[in-house]
Amino acid sequence: GAGVSQSPSNKVTEKGKDVELRCDPISGHTALYWYRQSLGQGLEFLIYFQGNSAPDKSGLPSDRFSAERTGGSVSTLTIQRTQQEDSAVYLCASSSARTGRNGELFFGEGSRLTVL
Amino acid sequence: GNSVTQMEGPVTLSEEAFLTINCTYTATGYPSLFWYVQYPGEGLQLLLKATKADDKGSNKGFEATYRKETTSFHLEKGSVQVSDSAVYFCALTGTGANNLFFGTGTRLTVIP
């Protein structure tokens, strides 16, 4: 498709399990972002990939969170040993060099994670 | 650090009513300011932006003016439609920042 694609759209897991969330950015977009939206909170920045540069991981809340971006395209956000406070909607966005400079990010519909 | 505070919702209006959603910000430097919108079942998308003081961003009948003196970027529309029902997010970025800082979002419902 033409937009940012995320999967799964919904994930229910048990506390302590690991989860992987996938993001397929818009073709040709060099920048990829992960955000988290918890109930009643704004979008919390998690991590940012730009081309082949080292990612900006400054927003990851703990070492249980990690993300990879393979081949400069698809990204996977992994949460290990999930906790109930990890329950949120995880949003992925991408941008080109031009649109990123203008602050225009293109978002997917998100992956809703529920940790029981 | 950079942050935005936006009006809590939800907001319910009748069609053709005037809309204001307040947004104020705290930032170092000279941020650019944005409004993003999320329609039901869709991802967030950029609605409008302003990059310097006194700039007015506009799109789809919505407007917002970058007010440095009041550190505000309030979203307005003169006559809302049912199709404007969505969640609206105020956001800002700093010079050279790699990401946007978002508000909590304001849900707008327009009833016929």
Side-chain angles (χ1 to χ4, degrees):
Chain A
V4 176
S5 177
Q6 292 188 244
S7 62
S9 55
N10 275 288
K11 175 73 176 178
V12 179
T13 190
E14 294 179 346
K15 178 181 172 180
K17 302 283 191 183
D18 297 352
V19 296
E20 288 188 348
L21 307 176
R22 176 188 166 107
C23 173
D24 224 319
I26 292 173
S27 178
H29 277 189
T30 56
L32 187 147
Y33 309 73
W34 283 98
Y35 285 84
R36 175 170 74 173
Q37 185 177 22
S38 305
L39 190 63
Q41 304 293 315
L43 275 67
E44 175 189 4
F45 167 73
L46 297 178
I47 189 168
Y48 161 75
F49 295 89
Q50 173 60 57
N52 295 321
S53 302
D56 176 355
K57 304 180 181 180
S58 59
L60 294 178
S62 77
D63 58 9
R64 296 186 295 105
F65 288 73
S66 61
E68 291 185 342
R69 189 179 185 193
T70 54
S73 181
V74 172
S75 177
T76 301
L77 177 70
T78 301
I79 308 173
Q80 296 179 309
R81 304 181 303 281
T82 52
Q83 304 295 312
Q84 288 183 332
E85 61 263 28
D86 299 335
S87 297
V89 177
Y90 290 83
L91 295 172
C92 177
S94 69
S95 69
S96 66
R98 179 185 63 82
T99 62
R101 278 196 300 273
N102 294 334
E104 183 169 11
L105 278 57
F106 295 81
F107 282 83
E109 292 182 37
S111 293
R112 181 178 297 277
L113 174 67
T114 302
V115 182
L116 302 177
Chain B
N2 291 11
S3 66
V4 290
T5 301
Q6 66 179 101
M7 165 181 181
E8 291 195 18
V11 174
T12 302
L13 295 174
S14 297
E15 208 165 19
E16 299 183 1
F18 183 87
L19 168 71
T20 300
I21 300 178
N22 290 340
C23 172
T24 57
Y25 69 89
T26 303
T28 55
Y30 302 96
S32 295
L33 301 174
F34 308 85
W35 278 99
Y36 273 75
V37 59
Q38 185 174 28
Y39 297 106
E42 299 183 16
L44 275 80
Q45 56 188 272
L46 180 64
L47 178 62
L48 54 84
K49 68 177 184 182
T51 57
K52 61 183 186 297
D54 300 325
D55 266 4
K56 177 186 285 187
S58 61
N59 186 25
K60 300 183 179 181
F62 291 88
E63 292 183 339
T65 301
Y66 188 164
R67 302 282 189 203
K68 195 169 186 295
E69 63 276 13
T70 55
T71 61
S72 65
F73 193 55
H74 304 323
L75 182 68
E76 296 182 337
K77 187 173 184 181
S79 176
V80 294
Q81 305 300 312
V82 172
S83 57
D84 294 327
S85 298
V87 182
Y88 293 82
F89 293 86
C90 186
L92 84 168
T93 190
T95 303
N98 292 332
N99 63 77
L100 300 181
F101 295 89
F102 286 86
T104 54
T106 302
R107 181 176 298 279
L108 170 67
T109 301
V110 180
I111 55 178

